[in-house]
C-alpha cells in the first residue's frame, strides 16, 4: 500500500512538470512580459521606461530561460523560468502583480471557501441520496417518471438562474438573510445559509439523477435478486444491500472533489461576496493579475492529483476486494 | 438589394459541419444497420417533440450564419460600394426588430418608457413624465388605450398565420412522401410522427403570434440602450449553437485519433497519450480557460490592427473560445475511446485482420473506428447542453465571448445588476434564461433518446 502511494506520488511529478510547462508557455512565451506590462499600464502610449520599471517592480525583467550575464548556477536560477515557474513546486507563489503575498492570501482565503463548500457538499449529498433512493424505491411508477422529468428540467436551468433567483427571492423579497457579504467567526452563519441552499438546489437535478442510475444498476444485480428470493423486505434490500454497494461509486466520486473544495466555487463566491479563493481567482481574472492565476492553476492541479490518489486509497477502504499493488 | 457575401471563420466551420452531417446522412441512408438506431430515435415521442424544438433553434441559427455586407451606394466609376457593416439574413428577416431602438428600458408590451424623464410640454413647462415610446405600440393613440384587445387581436392573427404556414409545410411534406395526412395526425402510423406534427403546430402558432406582435410592440421589452430584448435573445441562439457544436467539432479529430491509437497500440504510445490527457485534465477547466482567454485578450489588444472589423474580432474570439473549451473537454471522450479500443483490439475480427497482414492504419479505420462511432455520437450529443450552459457562466466571469457578441451570458451579465432597481427590471434576465432553458431542456431530452437508441448496453436491458 505505502509502496503504491509512493509510486503514485512519484508519478505526479511529471504531470506537475507538464502543467508547469504549459502555464509557462501560456504566460511567458505566447505573450512576452513586455506585452503584459503594456496591458497593465494601459494601451499603446506607454513609454519604454515605464515598461522597464513595471517589469523591474514585478521581477519580469530577467531573461526567460538562461541568464548569460550571471555566473555559475545563477545563470539558471536568475531567470523567469526559475523565479516564476519552478518555485511553484516549493509552493512559493511569490507576490501578486498588485504586490501582495499570494501564499498568505491563499492561507487566509481558503477558510471561507471551505465554510461554504463543505456544508454544500454534505447537505447536497444527503438530499441527493435520499431523493435517489426514493425514486429507486418507486421505480417504474409515475412518481419515478415525474421525478426524473423534474431532475432533467432542473439540470437544464443555468446555475446563474439559481444564484440570481435565490438572491432575489430569499434576500430581497423575503428579506430573510443578507444578500451578500461575510463576517468573521461564528457570525458568518447567516451569510452562509443562502449560498449553501443555492449550491445544494443547483446540484439536485444532476446529482439525484446520477445516483438513481447507480442504484438502479445495482438493483438489477443477481445478489439483490437472491436477497429478495430469501424473502427480505424491499426496505431491507434497499438499505442493507443496494445502498451499501452503490455507495462505492458515490464515495469515489465525492473523494475526488474533496481537495478541490479548498478552491471553492467561483460563481457562488463572487455573487455572494464571500472572500474565498473562488472570488480571489475571479478578482485576479478581472484585474488581469497573472501571478495569481498562475498560482491557482498550479494549486488546482496539485489538489486534483491529491484527489485522484485519495480516490484510489478510498477504494481499498470501501471495497475490500480492491487491492493496490 | 445587392450584397457581398462575407464568410467569417465560424461560418466556414458551420458550413463544414453541415457538409459533414450531409455526408453522414447520405452514408447512413445506404446502410440498414446504421439506420436502425435512428429509427429508434424517430420512434420515440420525446425524440419527435425535441427534434422539432431544436429544429426551430437551428433554423434561426443558420439564418444568422449567412453573413454579407449590404450595398450602400455606387461610386463614380459605377462600381458598387459595400458597407463594412456585417449583416446576416436573419437581420434582414427581423427587419424592424433590429432598427427600432428606444431610448432606454421599457417593459414588455409597454407603450411608455420605464423611467421618468423631463419633457417639455406644449406650453413650455418642464414636466416629469413617462415619455411615450417611439416604436412600441406606436399605432395606438397617445394614451395607449385598448392595448389588451389589440394584443389579443394581433396575437390571434399571428397565430393564424403560423397555423397556415404549418399547414403549407405539412402539405409540402405530404407531396414528398409521408402518406395520408389524417393517418399521420391521428397517430395511425408505425412511427409517432403525429407527436412531431402537433409540436410543430404549437410552435408555429406560438412563434407566429410572437412574430406578429413584435412588429408592433417590444414583446420582451427593451434593454438599457433601448435594444429589443426579443431580437437579442434570437441573435444569441447562434452563439449558443456555435459553442455547443463547434467545440465538439474541433476537438473530435484529436480525441478520436489519440483515443483509439492509445487503446490499439498500447505500449509507449499509450503512455504518452495518457500522460497528455492526465496533465490537461489535472488543471481545473475554468482556470485553464481563464488563463488562455486572458492571454488571448492581451494578444488581441496588442495586435488590434490585425483585425479588419469588430465583427471579425468578436468572431475570432468566439472561435478561440470554442477551441479552448475543446481542449478542456476532449479528455473524457479520449479516455472512453481508449478503453473501448483496448477491448476491440482483442476481438477475433481485429486479430484476423492482423493475421492477414492488414496494416495498422487500415485496421484502425475499417475495423476499430466504425465500432466506436456510437460512443462518439452519444458524447457529442450529451456534451452539447453542458457547453451551452458553460457559455453563460464564462461570459459572466468575463472570460467568455466578446462583449459585442449577442449571447445569453452577456444578456444576463448586463441585466443582473438591474435586479437591485426598484421597480425591478426583470425581462432581460427572464428572456435569456427562458431561451437558454428551452434549448438546453430540448437538448437534454434529445440526448437521452439518442443514448438509449445507440448504447448497446442499455438496449440489452430492455
Amino acid at each position: 500500500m505505502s509502496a503504491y502511494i509512493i509510486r503514485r506520488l512519484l508519478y505526479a511529478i511529471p504531470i506537475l512538470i507538464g502543467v508547469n510547462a504549459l502555464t509557462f508557455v501560456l504566460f511567458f512565451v505566447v505573450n512576452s512580459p513586455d506585452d503584459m506590462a503594456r496591458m497593465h499600464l494601459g494601451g499603446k502610449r506607454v513609454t519604454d521606461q515605464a515598461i522597464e520599471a513595471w517589469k523591474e517592480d514585478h521581477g519580469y525583467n530577467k531573461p526567460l530561460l538562461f541568464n548569460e550575464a550571471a555566473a555559475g548556477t545563477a545563470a539558471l536560477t536568475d531567470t523567469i523560468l526559475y523565479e516564476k515557474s519552478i518555485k511553484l513546486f516549493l509552493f512559493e507563489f511569490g507576490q501578486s502583480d498588485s504586490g501582495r503575498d499570494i501564499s498568505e492570501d491563499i492561507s487566509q482565503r481558503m477558510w471561507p471557501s471551505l465554510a461554504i463548500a463543505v456544508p454544500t457538499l454534505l447537505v447536497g449529498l444527503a438530499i441527493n441520496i435520499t431523493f435517489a433512493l426514493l425514486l429507486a424505491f418507486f421505480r417504474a411508477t409515475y412518481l419515478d417518471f415525474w421525478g426524473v422529468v423534474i431532475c432533467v428540467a432542473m439540470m437544464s436551468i443555468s446555475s446563474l438562474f439559481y444564484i440570481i433567483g435565490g438572491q432575489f427571492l430569499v434576500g430581497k423579497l423575503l428579506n430573510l438573510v443578507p444578500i451578500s457579504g461575510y463576517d468573521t467567526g461564528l457570525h458568518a452563519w447567516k451569510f452562509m445559509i443562502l449560498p449553501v441552499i443555492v449550491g445544494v438546489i443547483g446540484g439536485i437535478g444532476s446529482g439525484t439523477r446520477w445516483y438513481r442510475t447507480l442504484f438502479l444498476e445495482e438493483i438489477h444485480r443477481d445478489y439483490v435478486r437472491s436477497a429478495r428470493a430469501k424473502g427480505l423486505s424491499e426496505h431491507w434490500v434497499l438499505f442493507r444491500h443496494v445502498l451499501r454497494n452503490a455507495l462505492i461509486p458515490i464515495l469515489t466520486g465525492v473523494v475526488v472533489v474533496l481537495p478541490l473544495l479548498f478552491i471553492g466555487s467561483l460563481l457562488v463566491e463572487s455573487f455572494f461576496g464571500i472572500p474565498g479563493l473562488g472570488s480571489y481567482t475571479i478578482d485576479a481574472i478581472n484585474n488581469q493579475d497573472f501571478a495569481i492565476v498562475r498560482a491557482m492553476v498550479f494549486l488546482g492541479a496539485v489538489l486534483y492529483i491529491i484527489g485522484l490518489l485519495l480516490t484510489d486509497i478510498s477504494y481499498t477502504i470501501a471495497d475490500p476486494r480492491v487491492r493496490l499493488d | 438589394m445587392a450584397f457581398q457575401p462575407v464568410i467569417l471563420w465560424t461560418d466556414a466551420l458551420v458550413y463544414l459541419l453541415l457538409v459533414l452531417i450531409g455526408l453522414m446522412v447520405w452514408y447512413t441512408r445506404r446502410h440498414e444497420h446504421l439506420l436502425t438506431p435512428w429509427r429508434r430515435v424517430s420512434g420515440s415521442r420525446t425524440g419527435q417533440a425535441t427534434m422539432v424544438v431544436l429544429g426551430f433553434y437551428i433554423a434561426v441559427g443558420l439564418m444568422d450564419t449567412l453573413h454579407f455586407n449590404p450595398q450602400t451606394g455606387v461610386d463614380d466609376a459605377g462600381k458598387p460600394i459595400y458597407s463594412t457593416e456585417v449583416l446576416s439574413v436573419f437581420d434582414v428577416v427581423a427587419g424592424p426588430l433590429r432598427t427600432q431602438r428606444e431610448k432606454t428600458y421599457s417593459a414588455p408590451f409597454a407603450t411608455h418608457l420605464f423611467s421618468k424623464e423631463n419633457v417639455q410640454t406644449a406650453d413650455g413647462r418642464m414636466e416629469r413624465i413617462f415619455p411615450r415610446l417611439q416604436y412600441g405600440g406606436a399605432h395606438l393613440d397617445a394614451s395607449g388605450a385598448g392595448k389588451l384587445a389589440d394584443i389579443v387581436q394581433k396575437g390571434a392573427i399571428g397565430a393564424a398565420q403560423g397555423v397556415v404556414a404549418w399547414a403549407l409545410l405539412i402539405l409540402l411534406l405530404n407531396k414528398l412522401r409521408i402518406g395520408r395526412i389524417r393517418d399521420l395526425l391521428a397517430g395511425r402510423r408505425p412511427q409517432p410522427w403525429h407527436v412531431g406534427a402537433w409540436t410543430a403546430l404549437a410552435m408555429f402558432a406560438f412563434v407566429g403570434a410572437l412574430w406578429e406582435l413584435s412588429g408592433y410592440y417590444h414583446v420582451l421589452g427593451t434593454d438599457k440602450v433601448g435594444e429589443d430584448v426579443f431580437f437579442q435573445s434570437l441573435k444569441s441562439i447562434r452563439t449558443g449553437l456555435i459553442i455547443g457544436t463547434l467545440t465538439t467539432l474541433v476537438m473530435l479529430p484529436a480525441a478520436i485519433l489519440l483515443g483509439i491509437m492509445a487503446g490499439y497500440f498500447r505500449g509507449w504510445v499509450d503512455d504518452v497519450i495518457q500522460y497528455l490527457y492526465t496533465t490537461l485534465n489535472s488543471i481545473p477547466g475554468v482556470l485553464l480557460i481563464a488563463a488562455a482567454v486572458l492571454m488571448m485578450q492581451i494578444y488581441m489588444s496588442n495586435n488590434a490592427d490585425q483585425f479588419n472589423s469588430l465583427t471579425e474580432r468578436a468572431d475570432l474570439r468566439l472561435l478561440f473560445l470554442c477551441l479552448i473549451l475543446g481542449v478542456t473537454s476532449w479528455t473524457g471522450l479520449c479516455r472512453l475511446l481508449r478503453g473501448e479500443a483496448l477491448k476491440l483490439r482483442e476481438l477475433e475480427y481485429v486479430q484476423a485482420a492482423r493475421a492477414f497482414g492488414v496494416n495498422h492504419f487500415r485496421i484502425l479505420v475499417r475495423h476499430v473506428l466504425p465500432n466506436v462511432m456510437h460512443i462518439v455520437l452519444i458524447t457529442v450529443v450529451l456534451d452539447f447542453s453542458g457547453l451551452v450552459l458553460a457559455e453563460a457562466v464564462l461570459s459572466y466571469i468575463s472570460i467568455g465571448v466578446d462583449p459585442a457578441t449577442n449571447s445569453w451570458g452577456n444578456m444576463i451579465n448586463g441585466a443582473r445588476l438591474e435586479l437591485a432597481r426598484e421597480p425591478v427590471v426583470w425581462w432581460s434576465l427572464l428572456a435569456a434564461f427562458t431561451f437558454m432553458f428551452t434549448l438546453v431542456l430540448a437538448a437534454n431530452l434529445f440526448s437521452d433518446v439518442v443514448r438509449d437508441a445507440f448504447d448497446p448496453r442499455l438496449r440489452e436491458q430492455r
Side-chain angles (χ1 to χ4, degrees), chain B residues 13 66 82-83 203 207 221 241 333 408 416:
Chain B
L13 284 174
L66 297 164
Y82 297 106
S83 154
M203 286 292 286
V207 173
L241 290 178
L333 178 61
W408 294 311
R416 110 197 116 84

Side-chain angles (χ1 to χ4, degrees), chain B residues 69-234:
Chain B
N69 291 332
Q71 186 179 0
T72 49
V74 211
D75 67 0
D76 299 337
K79 276 187 186 162
I81 304 171
Y82 297 106
S83 154
T84 50
E85 185 187 26
V86 179
L87 289 181
S88 74
V89 171
F90 178 74
D91 291 332
V92 175
V93 174
L97 269 183
R98 183 171 65 90
T99 48
Q100 296 187 347
R101 282 192 170 203
E102 306 294 344
K103 225 167 172 181
T104 177
Y105 290 115
S106 69
F109 290 110
T111 51
H112 292 78
L113 219 52
F114 185 65
S115 49
K116 283 190 173 173
E117 273 183 7
N118 287 324
V119 177
Q120 201 162 23
T121 51
D123 49 355
R125 285 183 299 117
M126 292 298 277
E127 221 181 331
R128 266 189 88 70
I129 53 160
F130 295 106
R132 194 58 205 273
L133 290 183
Q134 206 180 342
Y135 300 103
H139 60 293
L140 301 172
D141 61 12
S143 63
K147 189 168 80 171
L148 192 66
D150 185 59
I151 290 174
V152 172
Q153 190 201 352
K154 294 256 158 48
I157 293 174
Q161 287 172 354
V163 173
V164 171
W166 172 80
L168 288 177
L169 188 70
I170 291 278
L171 284 175
L172 181 75
L173 288 177
N174 187 42
K175 270 269 181 268
L176 295 180
R177 61 184 209 125
I178 56 173
R180 284 182 60 193
I181 297 178
R182 211 161 6 127
D183 288 347
L184 168 82
L185 295 183
R188 281 195 291 266
R189 305 279 302 273
Q191 301 276 59
W193 289 107
H194 63 290
V195 179
W198 290 118
T199 318
L201 174 64
M203 286 292 286
F204 264 102
F206 181 65
V207 173
L210 268 185
W211 195 253
E212 177 74 17
L213 282 169
S214 69
Y216 300 93
Y217 297 95
H218 298 291
V219 284
L220 293 174
T222 52
D223 73 347
K224 195 170 188 170
V225 290
E227 212 177 301
D228 192 284
V229 172
F230 184 48
F231 178 68
Q232 280 183 342
S233 314
L234 288 172

Side-chain angles (χ1 to χ4, degrees), chain A residues 136-137 139 219 224 228 231-239 242:
Chain A
F137 186 73
R139 63 191 172 278
I219 274 179
V224 177
R228 279 207 206 97
L232 292 183
S233 70
E234 188 66 25
H235 308 89
W236 194 254
V237 171
L238 215 54
F239 282 104
V242 174

Side-chain angles (χ1 to χ4, degrees), chain A residues 14 18 26-27 31 35 39 153 156 158 161 164 172 209 266-267 270 281-282 285-286 288 290 296 301 304, chain B residues 275 279 281-282 286-287 290 295 297-298 301-302 393 396-399 419 421 433 436-437 441 444 448:
Chain A
L26 213 54
F27 281 90
N31 290 290
D35 293 333
M39 183 86 185
S156 309
S158 168
F161 180 82
I164 297 176
K172 193 166 175 211
R209 190 156 176 251
L266 268 67
L267 271 190
S270 83
T281 315
I282 295 228
I285 293 171
N286 287 333
Q288 313 212 314
F290 307 110
M296 292 307 290
Y304 178 80
Chain B
Y275 170 72
T279 307
N281 215 16
S282 61
V286 183
L287 289 173
M295 288 305 116
Q297 275 173 352
I298 297 186
S301 75
N302 285 336
V393 172
Y396 164 72
I397 23 184
S398 73
I399 50 175
L419 274 185
R421 270 172 89 115
F433 281 132
M436 201 156 55
F437 174 70
L441 182 64
N444 271 336
D448 281 355

Side-chain angles (χ1 to χ4, degrees), chain B residues 20 257 291 305 451:
Chain B
L20 288 179
L257 189 71
D305 43 336
R451 194 190 49 196

Side-chain angles (χ1 to χ4, degrees), chain B residues 288-307:
Chain B
L288 184 60
I289 296 169
V293 171
L294 276 183
M295 288 305 116
M296 179 201 57
Q297 275 173 352
I298 297 186
Y299 182 83
M300 282 194 165
S301 75
N302 285 336
N303 299 286
D305 43 336
Q306 284 185 10
F307 306 102

